Amino acid sequence: MVPLTQWKDVLELGLHLVRELKLDQRDTIDRWMVFHLAELIDTSENGKTEDERKEARKIAAETILKIWERRSALPGKAYPLARYKDILKILDRVQSDHFPFMPLAKQADVKKEELIGSIYNELLYLFISVLLMRLPSGDKPEKADTAAVNALSEEELKIFIHLSDRYECLRSDFDASNSDSEGDNESPDEKLDRLSHQLLDAITEKLIALRREVEQDSGA
C-alpha cells in the first residue's frame, strides 16, 4: 500500500471516490456526501486564500480517509475488490491459517495427504476460475482506478493482484482457443464449459490416484 501521507495521493483517491459514488447514489445521505466531498476538493485546489485552501485540504483529507475506511461497503466500483465479492466469500469460508491437508508425520501417509491437498486446491481453483470467467466484460480488472488500488492494504493488494493475474491468464487461455478449429464456432459459455471440463479431468485423475492409495493402505 502506498502511504496516504501526501496530499496528491489523497486527492487522487478522493477524485476516484467522487467519480464512482456519483454513479451510484442510493439515498439522500450519499448524494450529500458526494456533493460535500466534491466541494471540499474544489475549495482545496481553488480557494481564494492559502489559509482557505489549507483548511479545505485538511478537512477533505480527513473526509476521504474516513470514507475509505469503510471501502468494502461502498456501492458500485469504488472498492477495487468489489468485483470479486463472490470469490472472496468462498475464500473466506474455505481458507484458514492452517491448511487442513498438510503432510502428516507418518511417512506412509504423505502421498495420500498430498493428493488430498492437491484435490482441495484444484477444486478451489475450479470454483474461482468459473466465477472469474463469469465476470461481466465491464468488470475487467484493468479498469480499476490506480488511486484506489494504491490505497489498498497490503493483504488486499496481494489478493487483487493475484485475482487480476489469474483472470488475465484464464482470459488468455480462453481466447487462445479462437485460433483452433474447435474454438472458432464456440460460444463463450461453450468455451467456459470446456475449460471447466479440463479442470475436472485433472481433478478426476488425482481422485483415481487417491483411490489407489487408499486401496493399497486397506489391502484391497
Side-chain angles (χ1 to χ4, degrees), residues 149-215:
V149 172
N150 287 342
L152 294 173
S153 70
E154 184 176 345
E155 183 64 23
E156 288 172 319
L157 184 59
K158 187 186 301 182
I159 294 171
F160 179 80
I161 291 174
H162 175 77
L163 291 178
S164 298
D165 288 347
R166 178 57 58 195
Y167 177 91
E168 287 305 315
C169 288
L170 287 169
R171 180 57 66 182
S172 177
D173 292 342
F174 194 63
D175 292 339
S177 63
N178 284 330
S179 61
D180 302 330
S181 58
E182 179 186 3
D184 287 340
N185 298 318
E186 283 183 329
S187 68
D189 282 342
E190 287 172 335
K191 290 179 183 178
L192 179 57
D193 287 343
R194 183 154 55 82
L195 172 65
S196 300
H197 291 158
Q198 290 171 355
L199 292 169
L200 285 169
D201 286 343
I203 293 170
T204 300
E205 289 180 7
K206 290 182 179 177
L207 283 170
I208 293 171
L210 176 61
R211 180 173 180 173
R212 292 196 193 101
E213 290 291 318
V214 173
E215 288 175 345

Side-chain angles (χ1 to χ4, degrees), residues 85-97 120 124 128 159:
K85 61 182 180 180
D86 291 335
I87 296 173
L88 294 177
K89 286 177 184 177
I90 290 177
L91 291 174
D92 187 54
R93 288 179 183 177
V94 302
Q95 288 190 323
S96 63
D97 292 336
Y120 174 92
L124 182 58
I128 292 174
I159 294 171

Side-chain angles (χ1 to χ4, degrees), residues 13-209:
L13 179 59
L15 292 172
H16 160 75
L17 292 174
V18 169
R19 284 193 301 270
E20 292 300 327
L21 296 179
K22 273 184 177 179
L23 299 175
D24 196 336
Q25 297 175 26
R26 299 181 182 181
D27 53 38
T28 303
I29 294 178
D30 286 340
R31 287 194 293 273
W32 176 87
M33 180 179 65
V34 173
F35 175 80
H36 176 63
L37 181 55
E39 192 174 54
L40 284 171
I41 291 174
D42 181 67
T43 304
S44 72
E45 297 292 295
N46 304 306
K48 294 180 180 179
T49 67
E50 177 58 30
D51 286 344
E52 185 179 6
R53 292 192 294 272
K54 185 176 180 180
E55 180 64 17
R57 281 197 294 271
K58 179 178 179 296
I59 299 174
E62 291 173 351
T63 303
I64 291 166
L65 295 178
K66 283 182 180 178
I67 294 173
W68 190 244
E69 283 178 0
R70 62 181 191 91
R71 54 190 174 275
S72 62
L74 293 177
K77 299 178 183 178
Y79 181 45
L81 283 169
R83 57 174 58 82
Y84 300 130
K85 61 182 180 180
D86 291 335
I87 296 173
L88 294 177
K89 286 177 184 177
I90 290 177
L91 291 174
D92 187 54
R93 288 179 183 177
V94 302
Q95 288 190 323
S96 63
D97 292 336
H98 300 288
F99 185 62
F101 298 118
M102 294 299 290
L104 300 179
K106 188 179 178 182
Q107 187 63 31
D109 289 337
V110 169
K111 187 174 181 181
K112 183 168 61 177
E113 296 298 323
E114 287 178 344
L115 279 168
I116 294 173
S118 180
I119 292 167
Y120 174 92
N121 282 329
E122 293 209 25
L123 282 170
L124 182 58
Y125 175 70
L126 173 63
F127 295 148
I128 292 174
S129 297
V130 171
L131 288 173
L132 280 173
M133 295 306 294
R134 291 291 188 188
L135 283 177
S137 58
D139 279 348
K140 289 184 179 180
E142 64 267 20
K143 291 194 175 183
D145 190 282
T146 301
V149 172
N150 287 342
L152 294 173
S153 70
E154 184 176 345
E155 183 64 23
E156 288 172 319
L157 184 59
K158 187 186 301 182
I159 294 171
F160 179 80
I161 291 174
H162 175 77
L163 291 178
S164 298
D165 288 347
R166 178 57 58 195
Y167 177 91
E168 287 305 315
C169 288
L170 287 169
R171 180 57 66 182
S172 177
D173 292 342
F174 194 63
D175 292 339
S177 63
N178 284 330
S179 61
D180 302 330
S181 58
E182 179 186 3
D184 287 340
N185 298 318
E186 283 183 329
S187 68
D189 282 342
E190 287 172 335
K191 290 179 183 178
L192 179 57
D193 287 343
R194 183 154 55 82
L195 172 65
S196 300
H197 291 158
Q198 290 171 355
L199 292 169
L200 285 169
D201 286 343
I203 293 170
T204 300
E205 289 180 7
K206 290 182 179 177
L207 283 170
I208 293 171

